[in-house]
Amino acid sequence: MRLSPPLRAALAAALALTALTGCSSESGGDDARYATGYGSHEPLAVVGYPSTGSLGIAQEVVWQIADGNARELARLADDHEMSAPEETAANWITAFGKGANGKVTAEFYDEGSVRQAVVLYFHGTEQIKHINVRVVGGGKKEKWQVVMTEPDPAQARTVPPWVPKKPGELGSETPL
């Protein structure tokens, strides 16, 4: 049986994804979820210097907001003592869901080896969202998560005064 070029390409991509995720360890499910998210969303425009981890978590935050998936968004939360992931996720989806479905620029501030401030610019709605991401855990259990401490809807829309109106205006360094 002869396969059409598009069908061959789709099968090759599926086999490659299966091979890659099948060879990974505990994070196989995370790798597959990330690959699916990457393939079904517009990639972020990036300003500044993200680490692999800070870029990955910022992308996932935008994707879950765009998809309106509060449960998955809350799952990305750092669970420190002031965390309110379910309420925060709902607030972020309500506030930024429309903008997350369009072009988004993420500006990464300062050095990002263990934590990083990220400003998301939602171009279609001209909205701005500041988030903080950081490494949680240690050793083989280390992973990037997002701080989610905004149970009040007004908090979700608040932009710190130092955040510029356009990406790159501060040279990706916080003035604090």
Side-chain angles (χ1 to χ4, degrees), residues 29 38 64 110 117 119 139 146 155:
Y38 190 84
Q64 299 309 329
D110 302 320
V119 177
V146 62
Q155 290 173 303

Side-chain angles (χ1 to χ4, degrees), residues 34 44 50-61 63 76 108 144:
Y34 188 84
L44 291 177
S51 68
T52 303
S54 65
L55 175 59
I57 191 73
Q59 285 184 125
E60 286 197 66
V61 166
W63 297 340
L76 301 174
F108 294 82
W144 281 84

Side-chain angles (χ1 to χ4, degrees), residues 54-125:
S54 65
L55 175 59
I57 191 73
Q59 285 184 125
E60 286 197 66
V61 166
V62 173
W63 297 340
Q64 299 309 329
I65 292 171
D67 292 347
N69 194 336
R71 183 175 180 203
E72 285 299 307
L73 180 56
R75 191 185 62 71
L76 301 174
D78 172 8
D79 61 357
H80 73 288
E81 66 190 54
M82 295 177 56
S83 186
E86 292 82 13
E87 298 91 345
T88 301
N91 292 336
W92 289 4
I93 289 167
T94 299
F96 305 105
K98 183 177 179 185
N101 277 295
K103 181 178 167 128
V104 180
T105 297
E107 183 164 11
F108 294 82
Y109 283 84
D110 302 320
E111 191 274 329
S113 62
V114 295
R115 71 177 51 91
Q116 201 156 30
V118 182
V119 177
L120 303 171
Y121 295 89
F122 301 96
H123 297 274
T125 58

Side-chain angles (χ1 to χ4, degrees), residues 100-161:
N101 277 295
K103 181 178 167 128
V104 180
T105 297
E107 183 164 11
F108 294 82
Y109 283 84
D110 302 320
E111 191 274 329
S113 62
V114 295
R115 71 177 51 91
Q116 201 156 30
V118 182
V119 177
L120 303 171
Y121 295 89
F122 301 96
H123 297 274
T125 58
E126 297 183 356
Q127 293 175 292
I128 299 171
K129 176 67 186 145
H130 168 260
I131 63 173
N132 288 301
V133 298
R134 67 184 193 162
V135 173
V136 176
K140 292 184 180 192
K141 299 211 183 256
E142 180 177 286
K143 70 185 220 176
W144 281 84
Q145 294 186 289
V146 62
V147 176
M148 298 182 79
T149 58
E150 298 170 347
D152 177 353
Q155 290 173 303
R157 296 178 187 269
T158 301
V159 179

Side-chain angles (χ1 to χ4, degrees), residues 23-37:
C23 294
S24 63
S25 62
E26 295 175 11
S27 64
D30 289 340
D31 292 342
R33 188 186 73 254
Y34 188 84
T36 300

